[in-house]
């Protein structure tokens, strides 16, 4: 396919993630620019404010540390605009941060060549983003373009579609699992919106059960520290091929499966000893919390993943991943279903589980786990793939979208695609 | 066995260490008056033996010489055979702080009069000179140290000023690179066109979505 010469230079992608904002033009190649998705509201008595004489309401990107040094009220002034990919409709502080990071990115890559007349910008949002977020993101780009002339046209796509595009899979199911939830999005050239399923279970739920396990093993004081709990989860958490068998083997041979974690920079060593079998609960909880063993944790007060109501349907927070994929695929046309099962893409940090070489008979990675679960439900031949460079996938998909969608195809609110021309 | 060897054994039995008088680094004419020197923990103890002459004059002369030794030792003893006891004037020795050891025919040594320990020992000239030199050096070092402290304080202040300026310059540089001025926009980057197919990023090469998306309007 011939790529328009202008867009070979001025295609631009934006991935609005909860933690990071990834952005930049096609000329960056394989890796986008990244800044944290946050903004700092400086106080007018700031030293930097006095030095620069500049009135900045919101500071973003690498400048933030220069404004932090004299600040004591960090939590009040530092704004993280997104929660699970969503910005609250009337949270003006959050929207001002979104405006600043958007403008920062575009200005950073502005070109002075004579042919430059603004970027073709594709922005990616969470697939569960409400319509107002689309409206506000368009408004942000309109405002930036009015001030700088840097946006020729803008469009918005859901992040799972961008993943499918970057992975070169026109028909697939994308599972995006983040901190707070997991979205299952069937895609066949378009995102099949009526089939999208969201489970209220993500990396944070694995943190919660890790904290309970720490408490049960006498490390209740350490369980209060969220960062430490996450480190423990990443270090000792494993996904079992079969939970019952894994527990049995670990109880028979605790030394082989022993879960030991030394807290970096301290003398603290966490050792689950005879209870090392509990490390399998951490991974299993993400994929299948329906096992009876988890009931005892909920009865003792551990928060249960909440159900989500979408339209008339309630999606259980404890639905296992295989059931969720099947449920989503079954909402698609019957003849499409076999093709969707052939390509399941796993994206997001919550699918990064390690497999120690010496435990390969018992431990599996996320892709293998999903495949096994699908097999047990009678759906064979499923190909599950962990996306390569998951952190850049969405941005890459945005670049492809910016390059390929025809210039004359204008934004359509019914189809939720096309270009919104700004100048 | 000789008188000397009896006295040596006496001090050894008390845990003292024999040393050579030359180790005391005292003038030679004084050192030759010492028959035995020992180290009792940190104290220097010297002994002068009275070997011959049973008259008071000789004894007095020996006592006078021994008294000089007190300048250089912590304790000074006179030692003599037991039969001299009748001619030795204990009062003279006591007034001069000297101790007296008497040795009988069987070699038993008795401390008839304990030596008075001297509070300050005269520092040998060689040491005194070295100490004086060290004092001068220490004074020089102390002055240099004060000067250095003042320099360090000045450097600290300058470092703080440099750090503040560095941050300001970095911020201005970044603003220039990002094409921003306080008055408006200045563009500084020149975009490079990707000319050839093989220069395309990997995710664009052979991507079926390019065709699919290109037909969006027709779908």
């Amino acid at each position: 396919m011939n790529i328009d010469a202008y867009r070979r230079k001025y295609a631009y992608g934006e991935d609005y993630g909860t933690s990071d904002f990834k952005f930049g033009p096609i000329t960056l190649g394989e890796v986008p620019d990244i800044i944290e998705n946050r903004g700092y509201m400086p106080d007018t008595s700031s030293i930097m404010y006095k030095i620069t004489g500049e009135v900045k309401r919101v500071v973003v990107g690498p400048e933030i540390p220069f404004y932090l040094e004299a600040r004591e009220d960090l939590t009040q002034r530092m704004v993280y605009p997104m929660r699970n990919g969503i910005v609250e409709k009337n949270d003006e502080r959050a929207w001002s941060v979104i405006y600043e990071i958007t403008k920062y990115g575009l200005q950073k890559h502005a070109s002075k060549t004579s042919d430059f007349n603004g970027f073709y910008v594709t922005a990616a949002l969470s697939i569960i983003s409400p319509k107002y977020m689309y409206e506000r993101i368009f408004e942000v780009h309109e405002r930036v373009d009015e001030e700088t002339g840097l946006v020729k046209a803008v469009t918005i796509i859901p992040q799972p579609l961008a993943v499918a595009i970057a992975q070169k899979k026109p028909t697939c199911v994308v599972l995006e699992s983040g901190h707070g939830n997991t979205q299952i999005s069937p895609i066949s050239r378009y995102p099949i919106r009526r089939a999208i399923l969201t489970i209220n279970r993500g990396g944070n739920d694995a943190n919660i059960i890790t904290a309970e396990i720490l408490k049960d093993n006498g490390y209740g004081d350490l369980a209060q520290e969220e960062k430490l709990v996450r480190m423990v989860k990443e270090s000792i958490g494993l996904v079992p091929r079969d939970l019952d068998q894994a527990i049995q083997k670990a109880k028979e041979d605790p030394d082989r499966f022993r879960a030991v974690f030394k807290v970096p920079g301290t003398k603290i060593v966490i050792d689950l000893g005879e209870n090392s079998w509990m490390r399998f609960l951490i991974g299993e909880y993400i994929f299948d919390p329906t096992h009876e063993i988890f009931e005892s944790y909920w009865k003792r007060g551990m928060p249960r993943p909440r159900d989500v109501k979408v339209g008339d349907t309630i999606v259980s927070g404890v639905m296992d991943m295989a059931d969720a994929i099947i449920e989503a695929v079954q909402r698609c046309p019957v003849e499409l279903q076999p093709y969707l099962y052939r390509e399941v893409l796993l994206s997001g940090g919550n699918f990064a589980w390690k497999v120690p070489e010496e435990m390969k008979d018992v431990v599996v990675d996320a892709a293998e786990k999903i495949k096994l679960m699908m097999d047990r439900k009678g759906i064979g031949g499923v190909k599950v793939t962990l996306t390569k460079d998951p952190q850049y996938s969405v941005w890459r998909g945005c670049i492809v979208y910016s390059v390929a969608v025809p210039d004359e195809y204008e934004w359509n609110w019914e189809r939720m695609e096309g270009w919104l021309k700004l100048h | 066995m000789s008188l000397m060897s009896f006295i040596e054994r006496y001090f050894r039995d008390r845990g003292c260490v024999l040393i050579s008088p030359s180790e005391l680094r005292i003038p030679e004419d004084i050192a030759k008056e010492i028959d035995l020197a020992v180290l009792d923990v940190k104290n220097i103890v010297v002994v002068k033996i009275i070997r011959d002459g049973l008259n008071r004059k000789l004894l007095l002369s020996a006592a006078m010489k021994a008294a000089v030794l007190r300048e250089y030792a912590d304790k000074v003893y006179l030692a003599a055979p037991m039969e001299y006891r009748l001619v030795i004037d204990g009062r003279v020795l006591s007034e001069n702080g000297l101790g007296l050891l008497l040795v009988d025919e069987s070699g038993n040594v008795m401390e008839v009069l304990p030596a008075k320990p001297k509070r300050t020992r005269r520092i040998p000239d060689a040491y005194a000179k070295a100490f004086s030199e060290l004092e001068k050096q220490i004074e020089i070092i102390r002055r240099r140290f004060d000067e250095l402290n003042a320099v360090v304080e000045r450097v600290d202040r300058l470092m703080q000023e440099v750090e503040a300026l560095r941050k300001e310059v970095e911020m201005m540089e970044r603003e220039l690179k990002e094409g921003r001025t306080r008055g408006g926009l200045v563009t500084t980057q020149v975009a490079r066109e990707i000319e050839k197919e093989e220069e395309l990023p990997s995710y664009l090469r052979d991507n079926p979505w390019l065709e699919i998306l290109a037909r969006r309007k027709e779908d």
Side-chain angles (χ1 to χ4, degrees):
Chain A
M1 175 199 158
N2 288 325
I3 298 173
D4 168 38
Y6 187 85
R7 280 189 270 173
R8 275 178 184 247
K9 286 197 283 185
Y10 304 123
Y12 189 96
E14 293 173 336
D15 172 16
Y16 292 89
T18 305
S19 307
D20 293 319
F21 175 57
K22 292 133 197 159
F23 60 95
I26 183 172
T27 45
L28 289 180
E30 303 284 337
V31 179
D33 242 337
I34 303 175
I35 57 171
E36 285 184 86
N37 190 352
R38 62 177 187 170
Y40 189 72
M41 313 282 181
D43 162 353
T44 48
S45 61
S46 145
I47 290 170
M48 286 309 296
Y49 185 92
K50 286 174 183 167
I51 289 173
T52 62
E54 191 174 7
V55 181
K56 275 194 174 181
R57 223 164 53 79
V58 186
V59 183
V60 298
E63 282 181 15
I64 287 179
F66 297 124
Y67 288 82
L68 293 181
E69 51 196 353
R71 299 280 67 80
E72 289 166 1
D73 43 358
L74 188 64
T75 49
Q76 198 191 338
R77 296 192 178 280
M78 187 71 82
V79 176
Y80 292 84
M82 286 183 161
R83 181 166 293 185
N84 291 331
I86 304 295
V87 184
E88 290 296 322
K89 188 175 184 178
N90 298 316
D91 187 347
E92 291 309 320
R93 274 158 60 97
W95 282 109
S96 64
V97 173
I98 296 292
Y99 162 77
E100 288 293 342
I101 59 173
T102 305
K103 187 175 173 183
Y104 170 87
L106 288 160
Q107 288 193 323
K108 183 170 183 184
H109 295 287
S111 170
K112 69 171 185 179
T113 47
S114 57
D115 69 332
F116 180 63
N117 188 27
F119 289 114
Y120 279 84
V121 178
T122 299
L125 297 178
S126 163
I127 194 145
I128 54 170
S129 297
K131 192 179 173 194
Y132 73 79
M133 274 192 70
Y134 281 67
E135 291 167 346
R136 293 294 301 255
I137 290 289
F138 280 137
E139 281 170 24
V140 162
H141 285 82
E142 281 169 335
R143 188 175 154 201
V144 173
D145 185 57
E146 278 167 18
E147 291 168 359
T148 64
L150 290 173
V151 187
K152 184 175 174 60
V154 58
T155 187
I156 302 170
I157 60 173
Q159 285 158 342
L161 175 65
V163 171
I165 293 171
Q167 299 296 316
K168 306 178 184 176
K169 306 290 184 195
T171 302
C172 60
V173 179
V174 176
L175 270 72
E176 168 73 27
S177 191
H179 182 72
N181 61 27
T182 303
Q183 299 146 21
I184 296 111
S185 314
I187 286 164
S188 179
R189 296 154 62 96
Y190 293 90
I192 304 170
R193 290 183 184 272
R194 65 177 182 283
I196 291 163
L197 202 76
T198 299
I199 308 176
N200 234 332
R201 201 166 75 245
N204 190 45
D205 293 276
N207 294 350
I208 288 169
I209 194 160
T210 304
E212 290 299 316
I213 289 168
L214 287 175
K215 279 187 219 164
D216 287 349
N217 283 276
Y219 300 103
D221 51 334
L222 302 179
Q224 310 297 322
E225 293 180 39
E226 197 179 321
K227 191 179 173 187
L228 179 73
V229 170
R230 187 169 53 77
M231 288 163 72
V232 173
K233 173 189 78 173
E234 288 166 2
S235 170
I236 69 168
L238 296 174
V239 179
R241 189 180 291 277
D242 176 283
L243 182 61
D244 290 325
Q245 286 175 14
I247 291 174
Q248 189 188 340
K249 282 197 177 186
K251 282 184 175 173
E252 285 167 5
D253 187 1
D255 283 344
R256 184 179 158 213
F257 296 96
R258 190 155 185 172
V260 179
F261 175 70
K262 185 178 182 309
V263 182
T266 72
K267 289 183 175 177
I268 303 167
V269 176
I270 293 167
D271 184 353
L272 299 191
E274 293 291 313
N275 289 331
S276 291
W277 58 270
M278 289 180 175
R279 66 193 307 186
F280 295 119
L281 302 181
I282 299 170
E284 184 75 5
Y285 194 61
I286 288 298
F287 294 89
D288 183 11
T290 58
H291 194 287
E292 61 188 14
I293 200 165
F294 298 115
E295 282 290 343
S296 67
Y297 286 91
W298 295 327
K299 279 180 185 164
R300 283 188 285 145
M302 185 178 87
R304 193 186 178 103
R306 284 180 295 111
D307 298 344
V308 190
K309 190 164 186 280
V310 182
D312 296 333
T313 317
I314 292 174
V315 180
S316 167
V318 294
M319 179 186 270
D320 79 49
M321 289 273 180
D323 276 343
I325 294 169
I326 293 165
E327 170 75 24
V329 172
Q330 282 181 346
R331 293 179 185 182
C332 301
V334 174
E335 57 203 298
L336 179 62
Q337 291 179 13
Y339 298 98
L340 291 170
Y341 285 132
R342 272 183 215 164
E343 291 287 358
V344 176
L345 300 178
L346 306 184
S347 173
N350 196 31
F351 285 130
W353 296 88
K354 60 183 179 183
V355 183
E357 191 63 33
E358 68 280 10
M359 298 184 200
K360 275 192 163 171
D361 55 328
V362 179
V363 179
V364 291
D365 65 11
E368 182 69 13
K369 181 71 177 178
I370 297 276
K371 193 172 182 316
L372 288 167
M373 289 170 72
M374 296 295 282
D375 278 344
R376 283 184 200 130
K377 293 187 189 286
I379 298 176
V382 179
K383 186 183 168 200
V384 188
T385 313
L386 274 166
T387 53
K388 196 180 155 209
D389 298 332
Q391 68 273 42
Y392 309 140
S393 264
V394 173
W395 174 79
R396 290 173 181 175
C398 289
I399 293 291
V400 178
Y401 202 89
S402 290
V403 162
V405 172
D407 179 63
E408 61 277 14
Y409 184 30
E410 296 203 352
W411 179 259
N412 180 320
W413 279 105
E414 281 176 23
R415 301 179 76 162
M416 300 285 277
E417 60 176 29
W419 291 114
L420 182 72
K421 299 282 188 60
L422 299 188
H423 70 259
Chain B
M1 287 178 76
S2 66
L3 192 65
M4 176 72 134
S5 56
F6 293 137
I7 295 167
E8 280 180 6
R9 190 181 64 193
Y10 169 81
F11 280 108
R12 271 205 211 96
D13 291 347
R14 278 157 182 74
C16 299
V17 178
L18 300 184
I19 55 174
S20 163
S22 63
E23 287 178 54
L24 300 176
R25 302 189 69 166
I26 57 178
E28 274 183 30
D29 57 325
I30 294 172
K32 73 181 182 189
E33 297 297 330
I34 298 172
D35 292 304
L36 180 69
V38 299
L39 206 56
D40 181 6
V41 191
K42 285 182 178 175
N43 292 322
I44 296 169
V45 180
V46 296
V47 181
K48 179 162 179 62
I49 299 172
I50 303 168
R51 289 190 177 82
D52 46 17
L54 271 172
N55 62 67
R56 284 180 180 273
K57 193 179 170 189
L58 279 172
L59 283 168
L60 190 60
S61 166
M64 293 304 289
K65 285 175 181 171
V68 176
L69 293 173
R70 290 197 80 216
E71 293 290 315
Y72 301 96
D74 298 295
K75 289 181 182 177
V76 179
Y77 283 94
L78 281 179
M82 185 63 80
E83 59 265 30
Y84 285 20
R85 69 184 185 282
L86 298 174
V87 293
I88 294 173
D89 186 345
R91 200 184 45 177
V92 173
L93 299 184
S94 180
E95 282 173 0
N96 286 287
L98 301 172
L100 177 63
L101 302 173
L102 293 177
V103 186
D104 67 15
E105 288 172 351
S106 308
N108 297 315
V109 179
M110 282 171 287
E111 188 183 36
V112 179
L113 186 65
K116 286 181 188 166
K118 197 166 181 293
R119 283 179 185 261
T120 54
R121 191 192 310 157
R122 178 173 169 176
I123 298 168
D125 290 345
Y127 286 138
K129 205 172 173 185
F131 286 150
S132 166
E133 192 59 34
L134 276 173
E135 274 177 353
K136 284 180 194 163
Q137 297 284 349
I138 287 167
E139 180 56 25
I140 292 168
I141 290 168
R142 196 185 59 75
R143 273 198 306 248
R144 287 275 162 85
F145 184 71
D146 288 346
E147 287 167 8
L148 201 62
N149 266 344
V151 170
V152 167
E153 278 175 24
R154 286 215 308 274
V155 169
D156 277 348
R157 281 199 301 274
L158 287 169
M159 292 269 287
Q160 284 169 8
E161 284 175 31
V162 168
E163 185 62 16
L165 289 167
R166 190 181 64 78
K167 285 182 180 174
E168 194 178 349
V169 169
E170 277 179 3
M171 181 166 282
M172 286 193 276
E173 276 181 350
R174 199 175 312 114
E175 284 180 354
L176 282 170
K177 277 183 192 163
E178 289 165 9
R180 270 183 298 142
T181 66
R182 285 170 203 171
L185 174 76
V186 176
T187 54
T188 55
Q189 291 194 345
V190 180
R192 184 183 65 88
E193 186 178 351
I194 297 168
E195 298 285 355
K196 298 172 189 168
E197 194 68 20
E198 57 268 27
E199 282 187 1
L200 287 170
S202 63
Y203 50 89
L204 273 166
R205 290 197 294 270
D206 304 320
N207 192 331
W209 279 97
L210 288 171
E211 292 293 339
I212 295 166
L213 295 170
R215 287 203 302 270
R216 271 300 199 238
K217 199 182 173 190
E218 301 158 21
D219 287 346

